[in-house]
Amino acid sequence: MRYAIKENKKVEPQFSGERAFCPICKNKVVGKIYSIRINHWAHLVKSESDCDSWYEPITEWHLNWQNLFPEENREVTITENNISHRADILLNNELVIEFQNSPIKIREVERRETFYNKNNRKLIWVLNGKSLAESVIVEKENVISDILVSISIPKSFPLVKNYSSRRILKHKLIGFLNADKKRSEIKENILTFKYTKEEFEIEHIKDQYKNHIIAIYKDLYGEIELNEFKKLIKIEDHLIEETFIKPRLKRLTWRAFIDKMESPVFIDNLKGLEEDELYYLSENKIISKEKFIKKALTYV
């Protein structure tokens, strides 16, 4: 273990032979200081080692991750029904972060998720890809979404009783057209969406939306001032040259227990990732470690 209790304080060992107490079983522990291995506390009586059945050796990778969080949030003891375990990180919002460096059994995954996801706590996993997914590669595909279409209709139309621009743009026919478009959004009397260049013919899209809007208007309001309404439909398109990365996980071999993790899974040190990137397995996304840490630290 990394921390023990000495004079009512949470401490790391400062010299070999130093004495303190285990936060879980309250028995005596002794400091172990090494020039190569990771410094840690060990139970003085070997039969008591280790009182946390989920104990795993501390690695440099564990330390580097834990050190990104305040000391008070590292290696925190959680007790449920007289059973105690040390969470790698427990944040003030009850978010538990477990840094997993070595393989574990599927049953063990289930036990940990059941234990840590109790009493408003939420667990997320961070896995070391270098030791758990050494043959896995993240391939990045650049996807360009570079056409923004904006469609506006009259916000108000006094010539027509009970006119509603939102009612027209929220109609199921418009929803059907939006189904294969990206990031469609309606704000008052304006509909916007994006699509990949060359995916659709822009003039066809403009005609399609205009004809549907006119058909919806006729269905709702008949022929009243229809020609005037047609003149006020505005459709514009813009090049936006937006590039984003779509990851693809290439698995030559894969550890079965990872697929059994129901809590969110982030993988560090995967081939194909930059040093400052994590692969968010649960959402098939690449995120920056800085963003991950910053979001977590807002809860500390």
Side-chain angles (χ1 to χ4, degrees), residues 21-253:
F21 294 93
C22 172
I24 294 180
C25 67
K26 314 304 180 189
N27 289 318
K28 288 183 181 180
V29 291
V30 60
K32 302 283 186 177
I33 303 296
Y34 300 95
S35 58
I36 299 176
R37 293 174 60 190
I38 303 297
N39 300 337
H40 63 276
W41 295 99
H43 284 77
L44 199 59
V45 179
K46 287 187 177 182
S47 61
E48 298 166 353
S49 181
D50 186 299
C51 57
D52 185 350
S53 60
W54 295 346
Y55 161 78
E56 292 180 8
I58 302 172
T59 67
E60 196 71 38
W61 179 77
H62 279 100
L63 292 183
N64 290 339
W65 269 104
Q66 283 188 338
N67 288 344
L68 297 171
F69 298 89
E71 186 175 66
E72 66 186 62
N73 297 102
R74 306 174 200 159
E75 206 172 270
V76 179
T77 300
I78 298 174
T79 302
E80 290 283 348
N81 299 322
N82 296 319
I83 298 173
S84 298
H85 295 290
R86 292 187 297 269
D88 286 328
I89 297 292
L90 174 62
L91 300 180
N92 296 354
N93 69 333
E94 301 299 319
L95 180 67
V96 175
I97 305 177
E98 279 288 277
F99 303 115
Q100 191 63 35
N101 181 69
S102 55
I104 54 176
K105 295 179 179 179
I106 292 172
R107 182 61 185 139
E108 191 80 356
V109 169
E110 295 169 351
R111 288 194 185 103
R112 293 195 194 189
E113 293 195 330
T114 299
F115 181 86
Y116 286 129
N117 283 318
K118 285 182 179 177
N119 296 329
N120 296 318
R121 291 190 301 270
K122 295 295 181 184
L123 169 67
I124 62 175
W125 298 92
V126 177
L127 311 184
N128 187 357
K130 190 174 288 186
S131 57
L132 294 175
E134 55 274 22
S135 64
V136 176
I137 302 171
V138 175
E139 295 181 340
K140 299 175 182 178
E141 176 188 357
N142 288 332
V143 179
I144 300 176
S145 175
D146 57 2
I147 301 292
L148 172 67
V149 177
S150 174
I151 302 171
S152 67
I153 62 176
K155 184 175 182 180
S156 60
F157 204 43
L159 300 172
V160 176
K161 188 178 180 180
N162 297 325
Y163 172 83
S164 169
S165 60
R166 193 166 185 84
R167 189 178 179 189
I168 295 173
L169 295 180
K170 283 282 190 177
H171 195 279
K172 63 183 180 181
L173 287 178
I174 299 300
F176 176 76
L177 291 179
N178 290 342
D180 58 358
K181 309 303 187 302
K182 300 173 184 176
R183 306 179 203 175
S184 62
E185 183 179 19
I186 296 172
K187 288 187 177 179
E188 296 184 340
N189 63 314
I190 300 174
L191 164 67
T192 58
F193 59 84
K194 298 176 183 179
Y195 71 93
T196 304
K197 190 177 180 181
E198 311 297 341
E199 188 176 4
F200 301 103
E201 209 286 311
I202 184 60
E203 294 306 321
H204 173 70
I205 286 180
K206 288 181 178 180
D207 290 342
Q208 199 176 35
Y209 272 90
K210 186 170 184 178
N211 291 337
H212 276 66
I213 288 170
I214 292 169
I216 295 166
Y217 179 94
K218 288 174 69 175
D219 182 59
L220 295 174
Y221 311 114
E223 299 284 339
I224 303 171
E225 299 296 335
L226 178 59
N227 289 332
E228 186 63 26
F229 178 79
K230 289 180 182 179
K231 295 176 186 177
L232 296 175
I233 300 173
K234 306 293 182 186
I235 303 180
E236 298 177 342
D237 61 282
H238 307 279
L239 286 171
I240 54 175
E241 297 298 339
E242 180 184 10
T243 302
F244 63 95
I245 295 173
K246 181 180 179 182
R248 185 169 70 90
L249 203 62
K250 189 176 181 181
R251 305 193 239 187
L252 302 179
T253 59

Side-chain angles (χ1 to χ4, degrees), residues 233-289:
I233 300 173
K234 306 293 182 186
I235 303 180
E236 298 177 342
D237 61 282
H238 307 279
L239 286 171
I240 54 175
E241 297 298 339
E242 180 184 10
T243 302
F244 63 95
I245 295 173
K246 181 180 179 182
R248 185 169 70 90
L249 203 62
K250 189 176 181 181
R251 305 193 239 187
L252 302 179
T253 59
W254 187 250
R255 297 186 188 268
F257 75 85
I258 300 176
D259 286 331
K260 298 300 180 181
M261 291 175 163
E262 295 185 1
S263 296
V265 175
F266 298 83
I267 308 181
D268 188 18
N269 291 331
L270 273 181
K271 293 175 184 176
L273 291 182
E274 300 295 331
E275 189 174 342
D276 63 344
E277 292 178 332
L278 284 174
Y279 179 67
Y280 187 4
L281 177 65
S282 313
E283 297 288 335
N284 190 35
K285 291 180 181 177
I286 294 173
I287 66 169
S288 71
K289 289 182 183 178

